[in-house]
Amino acid sequence: MFDVPPEWNSQVVRIEFEAVFHSATAWVNGTEAGRHLRKGYTAFAFDITPLLRFGAKNLVVVKVNNSFDEHMLPRGRSSDWTNDGGIHRPVSLLVTPKVYIERVYVDAVPDLDAKAADLEIAVVMRNGGARAFKGQIVRAAMNERTGIRATQETGGERVAIPAGETVTVHLPKARIADVSLWHFDDPSLYSLSVDLYGPGSNHGFTTVFGIRSIEVKGGSFYLNGERVRFMGVERMAGSNPVFGMAEPASWIDHDHHDLKELNCVFTRAHWPQDKRVLDYCDRHGILIQTEVPTWGPDTFKEMGDEPAPEIMQNGLEQLQEMISRDRNHPSIFSWGLCNEINGQNPPAYKFAQRMLEEAKRLDSRRLCSYASNSLQKTPDADVARLMDFIEWNEYYESWYGGTPDDLRRNLEEIHHAFPDKPIVISEYGYCACTPERPEGDARRIDVLRAHTRVCRETEYVGGLIFFCYNDYRTHIGDQGTGVLKQRIHGVVDLFGGRKPSFGALRDESSPVAALEWKGSPSSFVINIVTRKSAPAYSLAGYKLRGVSYGYSDIPREQREAALPRLTPGQSISIPLAFQEPDAVRIEFDVIRPTGFSALTKVWRP
């Protein structure tokens, strides 16, 4: 129930749902406003203007269905996560003039040599009125960090929109000089304001974007022209039983602060994410792959050579809605098309191929891939061959059995099949999910370290994503009951409690391989060595911090030293002296430019 003021009768009023799992039908004052069916993680909006009672109370009723469904993605019971239903993300009323801007798409294309960028801007506008509209569009970009206007003044672009129609206008390219590039260690952002002016209708729309280049060259990833090898961890949303999928911003921030503390700069998710997740990744520096929830080989069960038409259509619609809402986020590294579908099965192959074609049509510059679990034999026959890079869910010593030597052999076979494409280990870890694999966090640490070590021996593994950050709620869980039905797979439990493997993953994911000291507190020399292999990237803007603690754990002295730019495999010695006597411990941290610690070591007398 909500009040509608009389002055809204000259406006367009839409109700926007950021996600409802999985099918929703909405009524306003007893009349159906619209349906959004079998797409549980993407946003949608209904124009409810004709149904409103102005100057009175109005009633919205939403019918939701979260039953397992064979005609959508995830198909039936194929997925391995919680099946929470309901309105699980925010709902908003959007009140605009009759002629309004629906969306703005920004492609920021950097010119690394010129330290500049070109903006390609598309504006989607709708005329919800009864008369044709003629007006103009004015745009302006601003560097959010400095508050300085980033584009030159221009005249307005003229537009004409027939009554009841939606049009897309591509604006002339805009040039930004002296750009601040987005990087996970320096997440610089810009805001773009687009204003639509015309008789009886003035509407403004603002979106945030970043400027960065992500390329695959010679079998490696390049971020802003620098070769990089990533490391990170995946988070399964909805796993805290207090919140389920309806996570508040405070819990989203909690989990992603943990990811940053785990040195996660690269992650993925099995379904389109809450926009608050993407906003966090934009502003704090995490690259993420979001995916259409095409999960498991049962997706294509009992199909012939072609995917079922309703599954194909549902996948395309979810992809279109995901890209439409999220494409401006600089944190999105790649679009994920599916997960563990058996990419050598003909209908699965053709599904992924069609999804790839559509993703490239909608967003041609962004990388695309799919997480395969079918590269153990004849990898060159897998649909992975069509992707921009190879993703492989690797579970030797767990689901696959075997040993780290089998991992080493299999990696060589995959690289031989795709020598020009980097390999991302899109999942690896230890799941206590069967009777012969009892829970043991020490075993999780052993698998983490052994498999990471094998991948570091290569030059072609461009990224590793540990699975998983959290034990996760799932309808096929093998432990717990009710809302605590789960799989034990994480370095934290359902409530965020940290296991010893949290610290092990944090250390393994650090770009700093070692921090050691010589001398005494009054004349310390600290030696820092960066990793030569994954994760491997330059450290720019980092600093060394030491905090000296006295008795009763009282911090008594802090010293800092700026670090020069360090490349992978480089070492440096930094003097750091303390004056306070009788220190019982000194904590040393290598601090990222974002303020998060990349490594902590403790000296004791």
Side-chain angles (χ1 to χ4, degrees), residues 342-392:
N342 182 9
Q344 300 186 33
N345 182 26
Y349 190 109
K350 292 177 180 178
F351 175 92
Q353 183 178 28
R354 177 68 186 93
M355 292 285 281
L356 176 64
E357 292 169 354
E358 182 66 4
K360 291 296 185 181
R361 182 186 72 83
L362 295 169
D363 188 9
S364 61
R365 291 190 175 94
R366 201 171 246 113
L367 301 178
C368 296
S369 193
Y370 102 98
S372 176
N373 68 335
S374 46
L375 298 176
Q376 292 79 270
K377 294 181 180 179
T378 59
D380 56 331
D382 200 277
V383 71
R385 63 190 292 271
L386 304 181
M387 303 296 156
D388 293 317
F389 60 97
I390 307 302
E391 288 188 318
W392 180 38

Side-chain angles (χ1 to χ4, degrees), residues 258-575:
D258 266 8
L259 262 60
K260 289 296 295 184
E261 190 168 341
L262 285 166
N263 286 302
C264 175
V265 300
F266 183 49
T267 188
R268 60 183 282 251
H270 286 316
W271 57 87
Q273 292 295 286
D274 190 311
K275 72 178 182 181
R276 293 170 296 181
V277 170
L278 302 181
D279 289 343
Y280 185 100
C281 293
D282 286 346
R283 295 190 178 280
H284 295 87
I286 301 176
L287 289 162
I288 184 171
Q289 173 176 291
T290 63
E291 301 177 11
V292 174
T294 319
W295 197 98
D298 283 353
T299 302
F300 303 97
K301 185 178 180 181
E302 299 176 351
M303 294 184 190
D305 287 341
E306 300 286 337
E310 69 271 18
I311 292 295
M312 188 73 255
Q313 184 62 30
N314 185 260
L316 290 170
E317 289 178 7
Q318 293 200 50
L319 178 71
Q320 291 157 1
E321 292 181 7
M322 177 176 71
I323 293 177
S324 177
R325 192 200 69 172
D326 296 338
R327 60 171 292 169
N328 291 353
H329 289 277
S331 59
I332 294 185
F333 179 88
S334 50
W335 299 121
L337 308 179
C338 27
N339 176 79
E340 296 189 356
I341 59 170
N342 182 9
Q344 300 186 33
N345 182 26
Y349 190 109
K350 292 177 180 178
F351 175 92
Q353 183 178 28
R354 177 68 186 93
M355 292 285 281
L356 176 64
E357 292 169 354
E358 182 66 4
K360 291 296 185 181
R361 182 186 72 83
L362 295 169
D363 188 9
S364 61
R365 291 190 175 94
R366 201 171 246 113
L367 301 178
C368 296
S369 193
Y370 102 98
S372 176
N373 68 335
S374 46
L375 298 176
Q376 292 79 270
K377 294 181 180 179
T378 59
D380 56 331
D382 200 277
V383 71
R385 63 190 292 271
L386 304 181
M387 303 296 156
D388 293 317
F389 60 97
I390 307 302
E391 288 188 318
W392 180 38
N393 291 354
E394 179 276 298
Y395 282 112
Y396 283 107
E397 298 193 275
S398 182
W399 295 109
Y400 301 172
T403 68
D405 287 336
D406 293 303
L407 165 59
R408 185 178 288 106
R409 170 194 52 78
N410 206 160
L411 275 173
E412 287 292 342
E413 293 169 350
I414 296 170
H415 176 59
H416 180 75
F418 313 111
D420 297 327
K421 295 185 179 184
I423 299 171
V424 168
I425 306 300
S426 39
E427 292 181 29
Y428 71 120
Y430 176 75
C431 178
C433 304
T434 60
E436 70 273 15
R437 294 201 303 273
E439 169 56 12
D441 199 55
R443 183 67 181 136
R444 184 168 292 106
I445 294 171
D446 289 343
V447 170
L448 162 66
R449 288 176 173 162
H451 291 225
T452 302
R453 183 166 55 249
V454 170
C455 293
R456 283 181 178 145
E457 293 170 359
T458 76
E459 282 294 317
Y460 47 79
V461 172
L464 300 97
I465 301 174
F466 189 76
F467 192 86
C468 134
Y469 161 68
N470 47 351
D471 297 340
Y472 62 95
R473 298 174 56 241
T474 170
H475 67 92
I476 60 173
D478 55 285
Q479 298 198 33
T481 58
V483 296
L484 294 177
K485 195 171 185 181
Q486 63 186 282
R487 279 195 156 164
I488 309 300
H489 223 310
V491 300
V492 305
D493 64 25
L494 294 184
F495 297 99
R498 296 179 180 181
K499 307 175 188 179
S501 54
F502 186 101
L505 179 59
R506 169 174 156 78
D507 288 347
E508 289 292 329
S509 302
S510 175
V512 180
L515 185 154
E516 299 171 335
W517 48 79
K518 292 182 180 180
S520 62
S522 62
S523 59
F524 269 139
V525 175
I526 311 299
N527 190 57
I528 295 171
V529 183
T530 63
R531 288 199 192 277
K532 190 174 182 179
S533 189
Y537 44 85
S538 294
L539 276 58
Y542 284 59
K543 61 185 176 183
L544 172 65
R545 175 185 297 163
V547 178
S548 174
Y549 291 81
Y551 292 104
S552 300
D553 212 34
I554 298 172
R556 300 193 306 178
E557 186 177 2
Q558 177 176 299
R559 296 290 178 182
E560 290 186 350
L563 300 179
R565 183 182 182 90
L566 299 174
T567 56
Q570 189 174 356
S571 63
I572 190 171
S573 294
I574 302 289

Side-chain angles (χ1 to χ4, degrees), residues 31-284:
T31 302
E32 185 175 314
R35 300 181 181 188
H36 188 258
L37 304 179
R38 300 185 175 96
K39 293 169 285 188
Y41 304 106
T42 52
F44 59 97
F46 302 135
D47 184 344
I48 61 173
T49 312
L51 309 180
L52 294 177
R53 298 169 182 164
F54 298 97
K57 291 188 178 296
N58 289 254
L59 177 66
V60 175
V61 175
V62 182
K63 177 184 176 181
V64 178
N65 181 3
N66 75 318
S67 60
F68 293 104
D69 193 311
E70 294 291 329
H71 305 287
M72 60 169 281
L73 300 171
R75 184 183 179 199
R77 297 176 180 270
S78 67
S79 63
D80 182 15
W81 60 83
T82 180
N83 196 55
D84 292 349
I87 303 172
H88 63 99
R89 293 179 188 164
V91 181
S92 303
L93 284 177
L94 308 177
V95 183
T96 64
K98 292 289 187 182
V99 184
Y100 59 92
I101 299 170
E102 277 192 351
R103 295 181 299 279
V104 174
Y105 299 134
V106 184
D107 281 335
V109 185
D111 181 339
L112 298 179
D113 292 332
K115 297 182 179 180
D118 289 320
L119 299 187
E120 299 176 4
I121 302 166
V123 184
V124 181
M125 295 161 289
R126 177 160 182 80
N127 184 350
R131 293 184 297 179
F133 172 86
K134 290 185 178 181
Q136 62 179 354
I137 303 172
V138 177
R139 53 101 183 114
M142 182 185 73
N143 186 315
E144 284 204 341
R145 187 172 294 171
T146 65
I148 297 174
R149 188 184 179 101
T151 52
Q152 294 181 349
E153 297 280 355
T154 61
E157 185 75 9
R158 297 193 176 277
V159 295
I161 311 173
E165 297 292 324
T166 299
V167 301
T168 300
V169 173
H170 295 268
L171 302 184
K173 283 185 180 180
R175 185 78 166 176
I176 296 180
D178 192 24
V179 298
S180 299
L181 295 175
W182 190 97
H183 186 282
F184 51 78
D185 272 338
D186 186 13
S188 298
L189 295 173
Y190 289 80
S191 63
L192 176 71
S193 298
V194 179
D195 292 293
L196 175 65
Y197 297 102
S201 190
N202 296 325
H203 185 228
F205 188 101
T206 299
T207 188
V208 174
F209 68 97
I211 300 171
R212 85 285 181 273
S213 68
I214 298 172
E215 302 171 280
V216 170
K217 295 188 297 185
S220 296
F221 292 120
Y222 286 78
L223 175 61
N224 298 332
E226 178 195 9
R227 183 178 183 238
V228 290
R229 300 178 71 182
F230 303 109
M231 201 159 168
V233 60
E234 182 173 347
R235 167 188 180 260
M236 294 291 278
S239 290
N240 186 321
V242 176
F243 309 122
M245 280 292 185
E247 295 176 326
S250 59
W251 190 252
I252 290 172
D253 288 350
H254 166 277
D255 281 4
H256 287 83
H257 272 71
D258 266 8
L259 262 60
K260 289 296 295 184
E261 190 168 341
L262 285 166
N263 286 302
C264 175
V265 300
F266 183 49
T267 188
R268 60 183 282 251
H270 286 316
W271 57 87
Q273 292 295 286
D274 190 311
K275 72 178 182 181
R276 293 170 296 181
V277 170
L278 302 181
D279 289 343
Y280 185 100
C281 293
D282 286 346
R283 295 190 178 280
H284 295 87

